[in-house]
Amino acid sequence: MQQIINFLIRNKNFLLFAFLFCLSLVFTIQSHSYHKSKFINSANFLSGGIYESASSIQDYFHLKTYNKQLLEENARLREKEARLYTITGSSDSLSIYDAIESQFRYIPAKVLKNSYSKTDNIITLKAGRRDSILPEMGVITSQGIVGFIEKTSTKYSTVLSILNTNFKTNAKLRASEHYGTLEWNGQDPNIMTVIDMQEQAPVKIGDTIETSGQSAIFPKGIPIGTIEEFELDNSKNFYTLSVRLFNDMTSLGHVYIIENTDKNEITTLQENSIDEE
Amino acid sequence: MKNSILVNSVRFISLILAQVLIFNNIDFMGYINPYPYILFVLVFPFNANRSLYLVIAFLTGLTIDMFGNSGGIHAAASLVIAYIRPIVLRLTFGVSYEYNAIKLPNVTFYERLIYISSLVLIHHLVLFSLEVFNITNIIYILKKTLFTGIFTSILCLMFNILFSSRQE
């Protein structure tokens, strides 16, 4: 007994080191699998508050870019509205919107902290449970997809960026219904890859890739990027595509969070059918 | 003693804020971010209690992890350099370290360079191995360690020379 205590006292620094090192390894491994709960994240009042005050200063320098993006988005929406007007032929084009109840609700939010140079990137937003933000909601900008909500606190939330090796979603060609899996290899923040695209798909360089709407997170048809190059994989059955993103992930100012109001209904339905199997 | 606690607290807060607000956003050549916050771990008093020093180094790294959403990689890397610091000190400064006679402001530039850059490289190697977490990308890890290490070492040396008053 005496010897054990002596041993502990003699090696207390090494034991302390080993304990703390294991603890940090646990945190690290948790951060590599996104659905585990995390203790250490930036959606808390201290880091959120510091990022908020820093970003309110930086905002002034970005006003010009934000204005330009808003103008472009406005122009695009106006064009869409005009097209809808010609199709319906109704002078009151808004009435068509009133008739349809939208499945998706868009909540604007400000980016407090963006990151893109690491292998697993996380973005911090100034919007939390107070603004009815919940985990697994999609995040987009007017140009394309950004990621989905990972953690929320009362006032802040973190986003699992598309530039994260844990991120995966379905993507399809705009021209046809062939789809594959969109993921990131952890290197260039402008390039993503789509794997497992059927060999029959009419793939052309320069074609647009968009979200497929198969998951309950993103609605169908949100732009992702254009095909830069493609090749058949080893099995010769599937294409692997390199996609250049529309979104400049290195400069994000304001984003939209997508709430799918039918999500509960969809997931309950899917769970029920799995139970029955 | 009071003075030492105050000096270290001020150094801790200012280095963390500088790291989080300025140096995490540099992204030189796309992926190079220096980590001068480890200067806090490097210049922490050499005669301090060993266990306390390990815990403080761990918490320093964990604070950076909290801001950067990086799990525990900075905590692990800071802990490693805190644990092996006595070995590096003995290798660079020789016997004068054994007699507790060494003060960082008084050593030669060459010794300072060796001490800082060796610990910085070890820190970055642990950091990027855990960040990438994939042994097949070993070339990428080494490349990132080397370039970021040079950048961090230069910054640490600059800060160290600028903010240290020479004591006789």
Side-chain angles (χ1 to χ4, degrees), chain B residues 2-161:
Chain B
K2 275 262 170 57
N3 193 22
S4 159
I5 292 176
L6 185 72
V7 165
N8 276 299
S9 317
V10 170
R11 193 186 285 145
F12 178 79
I13 293 171
S14 45
L15 275 173
I16 294 278
L17 282 182
Q19 178 67 48
V20 169
L21 297 179
I22 302 168
F23 295 110
N24 274 354
N25 300 318
I26 286 190
D27 295 313
F28 180 61
M29 284 168 60
Y31 62 92
I32 298 179
N33 273 329
Y35 295 105
Y37 78 91
I38 61 170
L39 192 63
F40 176 76
V41 182
L42 297 182
V43 302
F44 199 77
F46 292 158
N47 50 5
N49 180 330
R50 191 80 198 287
S51 314
L52 178 74
Y53 174 53
L54 286 178
V55 173
I56 286 183
F58 177 75
L59 290 180
T60 313
L62 207 61
T63 316
I64 298 289
D65 280 327
M66 184 183 81
F67 278 100
N69 287 303
S70 44
I73 57 174
H74 286 281
S78 305
L79 189 67
V80 167
I81 57 165
Y83 187 69
I84 63 166
R85 188 174 79 160
I87 304 169
V88 176
L89 279 173
R90 199 164 300 138
L91 287 177
T92 37
F93 301 122
V95 274
S96 53
Y97 163 67
E98 312 267 342
Y99 292 107
N100 274 330
I102 198 80
K103 284 217 163 55
L104 205 55
N106 298 343
V107 301
T108 62
F109 176 78
Y110 180 68
E111 282 177 328
R112 208 189 292 226
L113 176 74
I114 295 287
Y115 168 64
I116 288 181
S117 57
S118 53
L119 280 180
V120 162
L121 284 178
I122 294 166
H123 175 274
H124 284 16
L125 187 63
V126 177
L127 179 73
F128 293 130
S129 311
L130 288 176
E131 185 193 307
V132 177
F133 217 62
N134 189 348
I135 199 70
T136 50
N137 285 342
I138 186 78
I139 301 295
Y140 179 67
I141 295 175
L142 291 176
K143 201 173 76 180
K144 214 168 162 178
T145 304
L146 182 68
F147 291 144
T148 318
I150 293 172
F151 204 168
T152 310
S153 303
I154 293 172
L155 277 172
C156 281
L157 266 176
M158 265 167 48
F159 282 144
N160 188 234
I161 293 170

Side-chain angles (χ1 to χ4, degrees), chain A residues 89-100:
Chain A
S90 144
S91 60
D92 181 14
S93 62
L94 284 176
S95 63
I96 189 167
Y97 292 117
D98 296 337
I100 309 166

Side-chain angles (χ1 to χ4, degrees), chain A residues 12-14 16-17 20-21 24-25 27-28 31-32 40-42 44 47 51 54 113 116-119 122, chain B residues 20-21 25 27 30 33 50-51 54 58 62 66-69 71-73 76 79-80 83 130-131 133 144:
Chain A
K12 70 173 195 295
N13 283 327
F14 176 74
L16 184 67
F17 167 75
L20 291 178
F21 194 75
S24 53
L25 280 187
F27 287 149
T28 308
S31 79
H32 283 277
I40 309 295
N41 65 65
S42 69
N44 61 44
S47 47
Y51 280 141
K113 161 77 181 164
Y116 46 86
S117 56
K118 288 187 279 189
T119 328
I122 306 274
Chain B
V20 169
L21 297 179
N25 300 318
D27 295 313
N33 273 329
R50 191 80 198 287
S51 314
L54 286 178
F58 177 75
L62 207 61
M66 184 183 81
F67 278 100
N69 287 303
I73 57 174
L79 189 67
V80 167
Y83 187 69
L130 288 176
E131 185 193 307
F133 217 62
K144 214 168 162 178

